Every structure is written in C-alpha cells, then in structure tokens.
Amino acid sequence: MAGDLRRRTVRGAAITAVFIVGIDAIVAVQGLVVTRLLGPETIGLYGLVAVTVTTILTLKRVGIDEAFVQHQTDDPEAEFQYAFSLELALSVALALVIVLLAPILAAAYDEPELFGLTLASAYLPVAFALLAPLWIFFRRMDYAKQRALQVIQPVVSIAVTLPLAATGFGVWSLVVGPAAGYLAAVIVSLRVSPYRLALRFDRDVARRYVRFSGWVLVALLASMAVAQGQVIAFKVHGGLVAAGYITLAATVTRYVDRADQIVTATIYPAIVVIRGRAESLQELFEKSNRVTLLWVLPFTCGIVLFAPDLVEFVLGSAWGPARVLLQGLAVAGLLQHLGFNWFAFYRAHGDPRPPAIEALTGAVAFGVLAIVGLAVWGTDGFVWGRIAAVAIALVVRWRFIRELLPQARLLPLVRPAAVPLVGAAAAVLAVRVVLWGGARTLGQAIAEVLVFAGVYLAGAVWRERPLVFELLRAVRPVASGPAASPPAPLPPA
C-alpha cells in the first residue's frame, strides 16, 4: 500500500481501538452502577424490552452504509442521499414493527409497563438512520471525526441515566438517558455533516442497494440462527440453567472478536481504494490478520488453559458445567477467526454473495452437527459438533479467499503468533508440573496467568518486531505530533 494510505489506516485502527475500549468501559460502569441502583426486578423488566428491540435493530445491519462506501461515483452527495433514503425507509418500517410488538410483549409477559417502555424505544431505528453522516467520514477515512461523533451518545447517556436512576426515576432512566444521548448525537452529526440530508429515490439505484443488502441480510440471519439457536437448544435440552451455561460461554468468548472489530472497522475504506491491486490487497489481508491473531490466539488459548480457574475462583462451583462450553467455544472462536475479515474484502469489491454462502454453510453444519450432537451426546457432543461446523465453514471461506487472493496462505498468518503461544503454554504447563500434587490456589492461578501473558507478550513482540515498529511509526504522529490537518481526499479505486 502507499505510505499515506498505510499511515491513515494504522492511525484509524489506533483511534478505533481507543474508541472501542473506552465505550466498553463506559458501558461496563453504567451497567454495574445502574444494576446496583435499580435491582434485579427492574433490570429484568427492561431486559425484556432490550432483547426484543436489539433483535429488531440487528435486522438494520444489512450493509447499506458499506454499499455507499464501496460505490464509486462522481456525485457522492447524491449517492449519500440515495443511501440515506433507503436506510430511513427501512428504519421507519422497523420502528413500526416495534410499535406493533409493544402490546404483544405486554400481554405475553403480563407486564403492562412493557407497553409504554417498548413504545418509548421505537425511535431507535430512526435515530440510527439520522446518524448517517458518520458514513461520510468513514468513507473519507476521517476516523477521528467519526469516532468523536460516535462517542457523544454513550457519554451523554451515562451523564443522564445515572442521576435519574439515583433519584428514583426507576426503569425509565434506562429509556430517557439513551434517548438524550441519541438526541445530542443526531443534532451534532447533522450540524457537521458535509452533505445535506435529503430524500432521493431512483429505481435502478435502489435495485443496486437491494442486491448488495440482500446477501448481507442472508449472512446476518444465518449468524443470528447460530447465536439464538444454541441458547434455545440448551434451554430445550436442559432448562434455564443449561441456557445460562451457554449464555455465559458465549458472553465470555465474544471478546475474541475485539481485535477483528477494531481492524475490520478500519480497513474497509482502504480496501475500496486499492481494489484491483493484487499485491496491495494481499499485503493488507496478511498484515491485518496477523495483527488480529496476535490477540485471538492467546485469548482463546488462555480460556482453554484457565477456564477451570475462572469457574473455581471467580464464578463459583455452580457454574462448573460451563467449563467445557467455555473451552469448546474458545476453540471454535479460534477457527472462526482464521482469515476472519475476508468478508470485508469481498463486500468492498461489491460482491457480498460469498460471505453469505459461507454463513449459510456454517448455519446448516451447526444444525446438523452441533444441535444433533447435543441431543445425542449432550454438552460434549455439542462442543465437538460446533467445532466441526466451524471447520466446514472455514474450508468454504478459504476456497473463496483463494479466488480473490490467490497468494493467500494460512500458515503465514498463524505462525508469527503460534510460536510464542507454544512457548507461553509450555511455561504454564511446566509450572503446573512442578507444583503438581498440592491444592491449587488462587495465587498459583494468578501467577500462571502472569507467566502466560509475560512469555507470550515478549515472544510476540520480538517475533513480530518489524510489524510492531511499522505500526508504531504510523501511530506516532497521532500520539505525539502536532494536530493533524483534515485528511486529503482518497484517490479513486
């Protein structure tokens, strides 16, 4: 890649990393404080609304913003207005769905207050649509401005929610606080938007967006089927307690996605710029995946090594049956992240069909292997079936990757992180052998975690030092240099 594009991409990854970590911290603080202030009954009441609305909002993620970013045009403002109009139409439709679900939800759970809470949350799809100006800054790779606008909502939300919750506003603090945050974010986004928000429709343009978004929706539904299906399957197989075990395992192992979220949320516009340049695409694919696997491999291996300690010393013996699920989903997560951001490369080329085919293959394999395995052999059968299903999808994935990037190889992506990982795991196992026979203590577990992290970090930095130095050189102006001027326009693809 060209030097300026490389620097802008790496700086964007650094900004995105700070943003995601910061938002996670804000959400964690708000969740802990509000949970203590409101109590389980109120949180449970709002949770019924949150699960329903979140599921509806997930259906909005059909890639209209991605289609806008990857489409080359001489009139980007008109293209933005076409995309915004389609996004707004979809959002209004989903808002109406939430309104229609309000009385059904209240009647189903025999909780009249759910009616008002659900109605009050129906604005959310439209609020997301009105934040469409963020797409423009994403397209321009102006990550600083994009993330600065995105941080407004959670900051205002926590500033409003906590005082309301502390002064007796009850469950409605969880509605009013976020609403205030979205209102502030929308107002600022509209004021700084480079393009005017306007409704614009063209049948051919709409057909182009529908072709793109249709395949994204297929992939989304397949992923939802796996995520929701495993919880439902465990609920049917072993009741609410079993559903709690799989929910815990899925919640813990989802943090394996963090590095990929940071990288993939940054490189998409860069892929658009270098479309058709095989060598640059190959470089971006290899380096981005090497960076993410520096996190994925130790995180998943750490869960496998220390899941028994997590259960014994943190969660408690009641969560003992979740240990196998934690370890199994960690292994599945590792396989799932080998070349994980490949879908961004295909979507940036305007072809979202191959990722949808992979997602469908994975969902079918999950149903045949993991669900059947659970029914026949219990938790162990589910874990092995889940791993096998991911492996099958991985074969499909790499077939498509090799079609787009013929020089892509799996071993060069894994080897840099795998070598120090083996050393770190061996060090931990050596400690366990030396201390074998005595009662395992919390102090020993903490010491092993520190040994694992220290050995791996030292080995990974040494082995990947050229890549680390390249990243540091690109990030340094963000950390210590003068205020950057607005980024120059990107060259056409």
Side-chain angles (χ1 to χ4, degrees), residues 14-364:
I15 292 169
T16 303
V18 172
F19 169 78
I20 288 179
V21 171
I23 294 303
D24 278 350
I26 291 173
V27 170
V29 169
Q30 177 173 307
L32 291 172
V33 175
V34 168
T35 298
R36 182 174 179 85
L37 290 173
L38 299 184
E41 185 176 347
T42 301
I43 294 297
L45 182 66
Y46 182 73
L48 298 174
V49 177
V51 168
T52 303
V53 173
T54 300
T55 302
I56 300 299
L57 288 174
T58 302
L59 298 176
K60 268 177 53 65
R61 295 162 47 195
V62 293
I64 293 176
D65 53 342
E66 295 178 42
F68 163 69
V69 170
Q70 65 86 30
H71 182 70
Q72 297 298 316
T73 176
D74 294 329
D75 190 355
E77 182 170 6
E79 185 68 25
F80 169 74
Q81 291 167 350
Y82 286 132
F84 166 70
S85 299
L86 293 171
E87 179 78 7
L88 184 61
L90 174 61
S91 299
V92 170
L94 294 178
L96 291 175
V97 170
I98 294 174
V99 170
L100 293 175
L101 285 175
I104 298 174
L105 202 62
Y109 290 100
D110 193 24
E111 291 285 353
E113 198 170 2
L114 287 176
F115 178 75
L117 291 171
T118 307
L119 282 182
S121 302
Y123 75 93
L124 282 167
V126 177
F128 286 155
L130 294 175
L131 292 173
L134 273 66
W135 307 347
I136 304 168
F137 301 112
F138 183 48
R139 179 187 174 106
R140 295 178 175 182
M141 299 182 73
D142 190 351
Y143 299 106
K145 185 167 289 187
Q146 178 200 13
R147 301 306 181 188
L149 291 172
Q150 283 183 304
V151 82
I152 293 172
Q153 193 279 328
V155 169
V156 174
S157 175
I158 193 172
V160 174
T161 301
L162 294 186
L164 290 178
T167 53
F169 215 65
V171 70
W172 284 95
S173 62
L174 299 174
V175 175
V176 176
Y182 282 112
L183 179 61
V186 167
I187 291 173
V188 176
S189 297
L190 295 182
R191 285 184 63 86
V192 303
S193 176
Y195 303 148
R196 184 173 60 91
L197 264 67
L199 298 179
R200 188 187 289 250
F201 180 79
D202 179 270
R203 191 179 302 275
D204 292 333
V205 173
R207 192 175 295 118
R208 167 163 52 84
Y209 273 92
V210 169
R211 281 198 301 269
F212 187 96
S213 296
W215 285 111
V216 177
L217 178 62
V218 169
L220 177 65
L221 292 175
S223 299
M224 289 177 63
V226 173
Q228 300 292 334
Q230 61 187 8
V231 177
I232 295 172
F234 270 84
K235 169 65 170 64
V236 172
H237 180 75
L240 281 175
V241 173
Y245 295 150
I246 189 65
T247 300
L248 170 71
T251 300
V252 173
T253 56
R254 72 187 175 95
Y255 285 97
V256 73
D257 292 338
R258 280 300 183 260
D260 271 311
Q261 286 179 1
I262 292 168
V263 173
T264 307
T266 305
I267 65 173
Y268 186 77
I271 303 171
V272 172
V273 173
I274 61 176
R275 284 182 300 190
R277 307 176 195 173
E279 185 176 340
S280 296
L281 287 169
Q282 175 68 32
E283 177 191 356
L284 182 57
F285 177 78
E286 181 174 328
K287 288 185 176 179
S288 63
N289 279 280
R290 280 165 55 193
V291 168
T292 57
L293 287 175
L294 286 173
W295 162 257
V296 169
L297 263 67
F299 182 83
T300 53
C301 182
I303 291 178
V304 172
L305 285 172
F306 299 108
D309 297 321
L310 178 65
V311 171
E312 181 175 354
F313 299 117
V314 179
L315 301 175
S317 58
W319 292 95
R323 177 183 60 81
V324 173
L325 290 172
L326 284 164
Q327 294 171 318
L329 291 191
V331 175
L334 170 58
L335 294 177
Q336 199 162 5
H337 284 77
L338 299 177
F340 179 79
N341 62 16
W342 77 288
F343 68 89
F345 286 78
Y346 266 97
R347 290 182 186 178
H349 284 76
D351 185 10
R353 183 182 63 88
I357 293 175
E358 184 226 22
L360 279 175
T361 302
V364 172

